Structure formats: C-alpha cells, structure tokens
Amino acid sequence: MTSAIRPLVISNVRLADDPSGQPVSVSVAGGRIEAIGPNLAPPPGALVEDGGGALLLPGFVEGHTHLDKTHWGRDWYVNEVGPNLTDRIANEREFRKASGHDAGVQSLALSHAFLAAGTTRLRTHVDIDTDAGLRYLEGVLGTRDTLADVLDMQIVAFPQSGLLIRPGTEKLLGDALAAGADVLGALDPALIDGDPAGSLNATFALAERYGKPIDIHLHEPGEVGAFTFKLLLDRVEAMGMQGRVVVSHAFCLGALPEPTALLERIARLRVALLTSAPPSRPVPPLKRCRELGITIFGGNDGIRDTWTPFGMPDMLERAMLIGMRYDMRRDDDLALAFDCVSAAGAQGCGFADYGLHAGARADLVLVDAETLAHAVVARPVRKLVVSNGRVVARGGVLAGAA
Amino acid sequence: MTSAIRPLVISNVRLADDPSGQPVSVSVAGGRIEAIGPNLAPPPGALVEDGGGALLLPGFVEGHTHLDKTHWGRDWYVNEVGPNLTDRIANEREFRKASGHDAGVQSLALSHAFLAAGTTRLRTHVDIDTDAGLRYLEGVLGTRDTLADVLDMQIVAFPQSGLLIRPGTEKLLGDALAAGADVLGALDPALIDGDPAGSLNATFALAERYGKPIDIHLHEPGEVGAFTFKLLLDRVEAMGMQGRVVVSHAFCLGALPEPTALLERIARLRVALLTSAPPSRPVPPLKRCRELGITIFGGNDGIRDTWTPFGMPDMLERAMLIGMRYDMRRDDDLALAFDCVSAAGAQGCGFADYGLHAGARADLVLVDAETLAHAVVARPVRKLVVSNGRVVARGGVLAGAA
C-alpha cells in the first residue's frame, strides 16, 4: 500500500447509461472525480490510462459480509456441520478456538480479493463473544488500517453467539464500539436470545449510549420474524433512530401473506434492508420495497467459512445471484440488481460521496462488457480498478497501491 | 476437428473419492479409459500429459439446454420482454424470424464454449414450429455432425409454441424424429395446449410410432402440474414407457403439501426429473427424490437468449447453483450437486459408458482444486479437457481436436 497519489486520466471508456456509446474520459485528482466528459486533457504529470472502450462502472459496495470468518486462501474446510443455526454457531466457535484461524490474516486476504474484483467499500460484521473477546475485531481493525487508503470499511460489532444468553457480551459490544467498530450488530432477538423485547431494549440502549447505528441479523421466519420486526420498529420510532437501522436478511418479509402495512412502516421509519438473495430462503419483495421508497441493498453474507462453502468476493456475481433470485430477466431489472451492489449499497450503509460524478470519491471499475446487464451476467475480469484515486488492480490482479 | 487419435496418458492427478490424495495416472486408447492407477507406463507413441496434481473429474453432462436459441458470441440482446410464458414464446418466435439469428452458427458457438469448460455430453431441446419448420433442427444437426468426434449430443424435438394449438406441429415433430432427433419433446399440456389428456395422448402416440423416448417441459405449477403429472404417469404405465421419460422442471413437485405418493409413483415408473434449480421457482425435493430412487439431474435450460440473460456453459457453475438452491453446504451434499451434472445426468439422459473407470468413454476434466466441493464453489478454469480420448481444451481454451 502506498499513499502516494498522482492525478489520473482514464480515456476511452463508455457509460452504462449513455446508449450512444460515445467514449468519454474521467479525470481524477486528490482521490476525487474531477470531471467525466469527452476529450479531457490530462494535466502535466498525470498517469494516463487507455480504457480501450471498456464500460465504466462505479466501485462496488459489499453491504454485508464476515471478513473475520473466512477461510479464503487457506486449505479447504471440509464441512460436516449439522443443519441448525445453533449447530453452526457452536461449530464455528469451537473451530475458531482450536484451528489457529487468524482473523487479521484472513480478513486481509479476502479484502485483497474484494479489491481485485472492484469492491472499494464494504461493511463487515465481526464476531464478538465471550470466548474470543475482541480478538477478531483487533484483526479486522488491523486490516482496515493496512488498507485505509484504498478500502472504505465499516465494521459491525456482531454478537454471533447471542447477546442476553451469553452474559458479558453486552459489555464486550460496548468495548468494541469504543475500540473502533462503527455499527452495533444484533441477532435474532426471539429465536436466539429468547427474549425479543429484552434483547432489542439492550441493543437500542447500547446504540444510544455509544451514538452508533444498528445492523441486525434477522433470520426469524414468517410470523415470528414479523413480530420481532414490529418490536424493532417501535424502538426505532421511540428512540429517534430513523435512517440509522439496517435489518439484514429479513426472510420474514418474503413469507407474509400481506406484508404491505409492515413495509409501509419500514419505509416511513427509513429502516433499510439487506439481502444476500439466498436461493433457498424467502426474501423481501425487492421491487415492492423500492416502490415504497425502502432502501434495499445486497451483500454476500459469509464467504467460504464454516457456515457456507459458497460466496465469491465479486459483487457482479452477487448482482447476478440477486437477479436470478428475483427472476430479473430484463435489462432494466438487471440495472436494479446492480444498484443493490452499488448506489443502494452506499445509501444503505451510509457511504458518502458515492457514484460517477464530479466530486465523488474516485472509485472506478472498468470491464469489457457491452452493457450493464452484460457485465452482471458475464462477470468479466476487472480490467482496471481504481479506489480513492489509486490504481489498485489490473486484469483482476492487485497492483501496487493495494 | 480431427479424428486422428493417439493413445494418451495423463499422469499425476488426484481422484475426488480418494482422501489419501495419492497421485494416479489415467491411460486412454481408442477413445476409452484403459486404466486408472499409480505409475502407468505410457505405450510407445502415446501423448503424455502431466496433470500437475490436478483433480481428475469425469466430463460433465448438460442435461437440458437450448443450443438453437442462444445469442452466445453475438451482440448483447436487450431484453424488454413481458413477464408471461406466452409473451416469451411469441417474442422469441418473432425475433428469430426477423433477426437473422442462425441456429447452426449459434449452436456451434455455444457447443465450443461447453467443450472448453468440460462438458462432453449434452441434451439440447430444439424448437420445432410451423413458422420455422425444421430449420433450427437442421442447424443443430450440422453442429452435431461437425463435433461428432468430441461432443456426444442428444437432440430433443421440442414444440416450443405448443402442439395441439398449432396445427401442423405434430407432423413436423414426426419429421424431426425421422430426420435425426433422438427424443420427443413436449410442453405444458394443460396450460399451453389447453387439453392435457389430448396433448399427452398425441405425444405418447408419436413417441410410440417413432420408437423414441420423451422429455417434457412441465412448468405447470402446484395442483395443475400435479394433475398433468398424474395423467402423464398413467400413460407411461399404459404404454410401457418406464425408464424412457424425463420430466423437465417439474416445479409442481416443489409446491405440493404432500408429494410422497406422487414421488413414489414416479420412482416406480422410472421417470427421471431434470432441474435447473431456478432460485425463483419451487423445485423438486432433490434429496427425497434420491432417497426414493428417482434419477434427478441438472441442466442450464436456456443460456443467454431472448428468454433469459443468465446461464453459462459451465456445469460446475450449474452444480454450484444447484447447491445454493438446495442449501447444500456440506461437502457430501455438494457431491450430490456435482452428481446432478455428471453421473446422474448420464443416467437420466441415457448416455452409456460414463464415468472414471476402465472401459468408459474417455471424457476427462482436470481442475486445480483441492476437493470436489472446492471445484464446485470455485469453478476453476479447466486445465485440460479430454473428450472421447481427444484433448479438446487446455486452460479454458479450445485445443486442436475441437
């Protein structure tokens, strides 16, 4: 990594929303986009890159992953885990104690792979529990520091093993927020903690004490999930947390016969939704959410860890999976799938200065694709990735700045 | 393409079912596997390939695609099609009339891509309708002939625009079977043809007349689909078609509250099921089917055509999608997903002499992967592909023999 930064001009790229296909240039200085337009003259000393007619996309946003858990780059983990959520939680806690798995090394390996594939902003949940304390957080904070110039990372302090059911966790979550975590996480207040009101009360009180937003894993299905969701919305309203809460997964919203009233309240309270678009679970109704003004965005969830063998640090692939899950076959639908891993992701996480416009952070991805939809389904190698004004990858391989 | 064939020995490969990881060699002659074992001495004149410790897999089987429809290698098709099955059918028929889309050129392009990614056996449905007649079939027959030495292709004569509702189609289907199609196709006897008994009667009569097996697209949902399925099973039983019928898609089997009786009858009549494992539709219960002895196998369905932008000619990716759809996270589950695009595919389609054993057709794929599950989720570039004893691709790129 280097913090040296030269002005940069990328010529001969196409914009996805310009059907004329006219080539344009992008000029970048001080980590920001200066201008996008035809025939921009490079300033003296600028690095000039020929885009070769590639499609120009904004850097991708990973809205929900678990950098601290991954085995990326390690020996293959043979998964023989039982089928229940509690099996997976207990198995992982034991594995991480016994295996020498290092959250710092692993989060750096996966972050590098994300950068090489064009993700420049990322929200990661990091396990906080009474066995590990803040050890995983420390590893991920190290990775954030190492990549500070090129990867904009938000860290969620996440009680993977439960909050109320593991006394001591609440204190550790507070310590994590004080140590640098940006967001307070939570997990299934009814089905894991067994006390939805009490668990949510504890979470909201902690968020208020540290002045942090909330991102809660809500796997609870159907009516149970909807019940928990309503309790959560009551607290968003009572505590003035509008616009500061994300509900991740929210499977329940895909399984209710009549979700409209609940969705309308979610929209009113500006609660955002995160989906990994799992093919085997109900998912929130994406288009209906967007019609109501709800921010809904995408993420991988875990990638190649003790929970799941699946996942790639490639947000174009996640956009494709979102498209498949919601049966989005039209080009305008695939643009929505891409929005979930770009602008809507930035909106949902609160990453500022996002997009392809003058003044935005210069996070740019070039791909050889005819159209945006083509890029989503074909997932071509990233020809060039620029993050915060620095060239971080070429041809899918990390370059100097990362 | 060449029909020249030298003996071949591939050394230093690993077998997925041998946890010892001991390197073995494979010797091939006359298009067949001669032996698999340690330290096989190459015969004089043999081509010797160093497998470099790669994992050895059998050639993949695509159980259901539509080679004649694809835009693979053409300009991007902007999809603005309406949401109904009938919209998609009408749109495609018009597009193919007006666009100069050539089923011969397109089927060859996609077949090449399948070969480069390790698929050596493939069942394709080809549209037969009263606008196009046998034109698409002729194109695909040309591709089959061109690739006869390296791609084992079954062709299904498929009434995409309906059978009874388009008079003249039945005659054309007969002509297609006489011209070289291997299997009789069919489509939604109730919801497209509007006459489930009549449509099935016509299909079974035609199959009997030409002595061909049947592969029917059954998209019909829930109880309607189950009703059609029962009528179909009655005819399988009455006409002695046990073991000669595939039902593709069979979404209805994923939506019935109590499918056991129907599944047991499917098993008894040796009707096989094909699934593309679509994330947005109900799917047959894969493990339950296997427990009952039903052959269930996998396919892409269409790839990048007017129906769908999705799909890749990569059966490892399809296995991954099957794994995700069925929430298969364990290594032993991912082996089932791979089975759907390998041995079960060969069983379901009736491709003979399949597998990694002496005497089998020498269809081999080498990948740099630690385990079978790793190969499925990572989908690495195919290091070497051998089909019918010929090297057809190296490093994901076609070699001489294809």
Side-chain angles (χ1 to χ4, degrees):
Chain A
M1 196 202 70
T2 168
S3 54
I5 178 164
R6 281 166 69 190
L8 168 68
V9 173
I10 306 173
S11 64
N12 194 16
V13 291
R14 291 173 297 114
L15 298 170
D17 56 5
D18 178 3
S20 80
Q22 283 303 303
V24 296
S25 299
V26 195
S27 68
V28 170
R32 301 266 157 181
I33 297 175
E34 273 194 330
I36 300 180
N39 304 318
L40 301 178
L47 178 64
V48 179
E49 294 275 346
D50 180 355
L55 194 68
L56 174 69
L57 300 174
F60 311 145
V61 179
E62 164 58 271
H64 182 127
T65 191
H66 293 266
L67 292 180
D68 63 315
K69 294 176 187 286
T70 187
H71 303 145
W72 195 261
R74 283 172 62 107
D75 288 347
W76 182 252
Y77 173 78
V78 177
N79 186 316
E80 297 174 320
V81 186
N84 301 310
L85 191 59
T86 46
D87 297 333
R88 290 169 180 159
I89 291 171
N91 172 72
E92 179 184 49
R93 208 171 51 241
E94 292 310 308
F95 169 81
R96 290 177 73 161
K97 258 198 286 197
S99 67
H101 184 280
D102 182 320
V105 171
Q106 293 309 118
S107 60
L108 185 62
L110 190 57
S111 294
H112 278 151
F114 265 116
L115 276 170
T119 293
T120 56
R121 291 171 147 187
L122 172 158
R123 173 175 282 195
T124 184
H125 298 247
V126 177
D127 287 9
I128 307 291
D129 67 52
T130 51
D131 284 355
L134 304 191
R135 195 164 75 246
Y136 308 144
L137 176 67
E138 286 153 11
V140 178
L141 284 169
T143 291
R144 177 159 78 177
D145 188 53
T146 301
L147 298 177
D149 283 344
V150 289
L151 182 63
D152 192 0
M153 185 192 299
Q154 290 179 346
I155 297 175
V156 185
F158 174 49
Q160 173 71 80
S161 293
L163 175 58
L164 302 185
I165 52 164
R166 290 182 74 89
T169 303
E170 195 173 339
K171 160 84 169 60
L172 287 167
L173 289 172
D175 295 345
L177 294 171
D182 309 280
V183 181
L184 177 61
L187 172 67
D188 293 345
L191 295 189
I192 294 292
D193 262 4
D195 178 359
S199 182
L200 288 165
N201 288 343
T203 295
F204 276 79
L206 201 56
E208 182 173 59
R209 192 171 330 137
Y210 288 86
K212 299 292 186 186
I214 291 171
D215 189 335
I216 180 172
H217 283 64
L218 188 62
H219 310 97
E220 294 170 9
E223 292 298 337
V224 176
F227 174 74
T228 298
F229 214 134
K230 285 170 196 156
L231 296 186
L232 176 136
L233 295 176
D234 293 343
R235 284 155 182 80
V236 171
E237 194 158 13
M239 300 185 70
M241 288 285 281
Q242 291 88 340
R244 301 195 19 98
V245 175
V246 171
V247 177
S248 286
H249 307 311
F251 301 142
C252 62
L253 297 177
L256 300 175
E258 188 34 83
T260 300
L262 183 54
L263 292 176
E264 285 172 348
R265 194 168 174 224
I266 292 168
R268 215 158 45 237
L269 294 172
R270 304 199 312 280
V271 169
L273 302 175
L274 173 292
T275 184
S276 64
S280 63
R281 299 298 295 264
V283 286
L286 188 138
K287 284 193 179 180
R288 185 84 188 99
C289 287
R290 290 183 66 105
E291 284 161 10
L292 291 168
I294 297 170
T295 298
I296 178 165
F297 61 107
N300 271 290
D301 204 356
I303 293 177
R304 220 177 278 185
D305 54 31
T306 64
W307 289 70
T308 176
F310 299 113
M312 290 293 270
D314 178 354
M315 299 314 292
L316 287 180
E317 182 154 305
R318 185 54 50 185
M320 178 190 81
L321 293 169
I322 292 169
M324 295 179 88
R325 179 66 184 87
Y326 287 100
D327 198 21
M328 293 168 151
R329 305 182 184 205
R330 294 166 53 102
D331 286 51
D332 50 9
D333 282 342
L334 286 172
L336 298 187
F338 180 72
D339 191 62
C340 289
V341 302
S342 52
Q347 173 74 25
C349 294
F351 288 117
D353 302 325
Y354 183 82
L356 293 180
H357 55 81
R361 185 178 138 121
D363 292 352
L364 309 169
V365 180
L366 270 60
V367 287
D368 280 326
E370 289 178 66
T371 65
L372 180 58
H374 184 206
V376 169
V377 303
R379 300 153 279 152
V381 168
R382 308 312 117 89
K383 199 169 175 175
L384 189 75
V385 179
V386 172
S387 182
N388 196 26
R390 285 111 170 134
V391 172
V392 293
R394 288 177 201 277
V397 177
L398 285 185
Chain B
M1 196 204 70
T2 169
S3 54
I5 178 163
R6 281 166 71 189
L8 169 68
V9 173
I10 306 172
S11 65
N12 194 15
V13 292
R14 290 173 298 112
L15 297 170
D17 56 4
D18 177 5
S20 80
Q22 282 305 303
V24 295
S25 299
V26 194
S27 67
V28 170
R32 302 266 156 181
I33 297 174
E34 275 194 330
I36 300 180
N39 304 319
L40 301 178
L47 178 64
V48 180
E49 295 275 346
D50 180 355
L55 194 66
L56 174 69
L57 301 174
F60 310 145
V61 179
E62 164 59 271
H64 182 127
T65 191
H66 293 266
L67 292 181
D68 63 317
K69 295 176 187 284
T70 186
H71 303 147
W72 195 260
R74 282 173 63 106
D75 288 347
W76 183 252
Y77 172 78
V78 177
N79 186 318
E80 297 175 319
V81 186
N84 301 311
L85 191 59
T86 46
D87 297 333
R88 291 171 179 155
I89 291 171
N91 171 72
E92 179 185 48
R93 208 173 49 242
E94 292 309 308
F95 169 82
R96 290 177 73 161
K97 258 198 286 196
S99 68
H101 184 281
D102 182 320
V105 171
Q106 292 310 118
S107 60
L108 185 62
L110 189 57
S111 294
H112 278 150
F114 265 116
L115 276 171
T119 293
T120 55
R121 291 170 149 190
L122 173 157
R123 172 174 283 196
T124 184
H125 298 248
V126 177
D127 287 9
I128 307 292
D129 67 51
T130 51
D131 285 355
L134 304 191
R135 195 163 75 248
Y136 308 143
L137 177 66
E138 286 154 11
V140 178
L141 285 169
T143 291
R144 178 161 76 178
D145 187 52
T146 302
L147 298 177
D149 283 345
V150 289
L151 183 63
D152 193 358
M153 186 192 299
Q154 289 179 347
I155 296 175
V156 184
F158 174 49
Q160 173 72 80
S161 293
L163 174 58
L164 301 185
I165 52 164
R166 291 183 72 90
T169 303
E170 195 173 339
K171 160 84 169 63
L172 287 167
L173 289 172
D175 294 347
L177 295 172
D182 309 281
V183 180
L184 177 62
L187 171 67
D188 292 347
L191 295 190
I192 294 291
D193 263 4
D195 178 0
S199 181
L200 288 165
N201 288 342
T203 296
F204 276 79
L206 202 55
E208 183 173 56
R209 192 171 332 136
Y210 288 87
K212 299 292 187 184
I214 291 171
D215 188 333
I216 179 171
H217 282 64
L218 188 64
H219 309 98
E220 295 170 8
E223 292 298 337
V224 177
F227 175 74
T228 299
F229 214 135
K230 285 169 196 156
L231 296 187
L232 177 137
L233 295 176
D234 292 345
R235 285 154 181 81
V236 171
E237 194 158 13
M239 301 184 70
M241 289 285 280
Q242 291 88 339
R244 306 211 352 117
V245 176
V246 171
V247 177
S248 286
H249 308 311
F251 301 143
C252 62
L253 296 177
L256 300 175
E258 189 32 86
T260 300
L262 183 53
L263 292 175
E264 285 172 348
R265 194 167 173 223
I266 292 168
R268 216 158 44 236
L269 294 171
R270 303 199 313 281
V271 169
L273 302 175
L274 173 291
T275 185
S276 64
S280 62
R281 300 296 298 264
V283 285
L286 189 140
K287 284 195 179 179
R288 186 82 186 100
C289 287
R290 290 183 65 105
E291 284 161 10
L292 291 168
I294 297 170
T295 298
I296 178 165
F297 61 107
N300 271 287
D301 204 355
I303 294 176
R304 221 177 279 185
D305 54 31
T306 64
W307 289 70
T308 178
F310 299 114
M312 289 295 268
D314 178 355
M315 299 313 294
L316 286 180
E317 182 154 306
R318 184 55 49 185
M320 179 191 80
L321 293 169
I322 291 169
M324 294 178 90
R325 179 66 184 89
Y326 287 100
D327 198 22
M328 293 168 150
R329 307 182 183 205
R330 294 166 53 102
D331 286 51
D332 50 9
D333 282 342
L334 285 172
L336 298 187
F338 180 72
D339 191 61
C340 289
V341 302
S342 52
Q347 174 74 25
C349 294
F351 288 117
D353 302 325
Y354 182 83
L356 293 180
H357 55 81
R361 184 178 138 123
D363 293 351
L364 309 169
V365 181
L366 270 60
V367 287
D368 280 326
E370 288 178 67
T371 64
L372 181 58
H374 184 207
V376 168
V377 303
R379 299 153 280 151
V381 168
R382 308 312 116 91
K383 197 168 175 177
L384 189 74
V385 179
V386 172
S387 183
N388 196 26
R390 285 114 171 132
V391 171
V392 293
R394 289 178 201 277
V397 177
L398 285 185

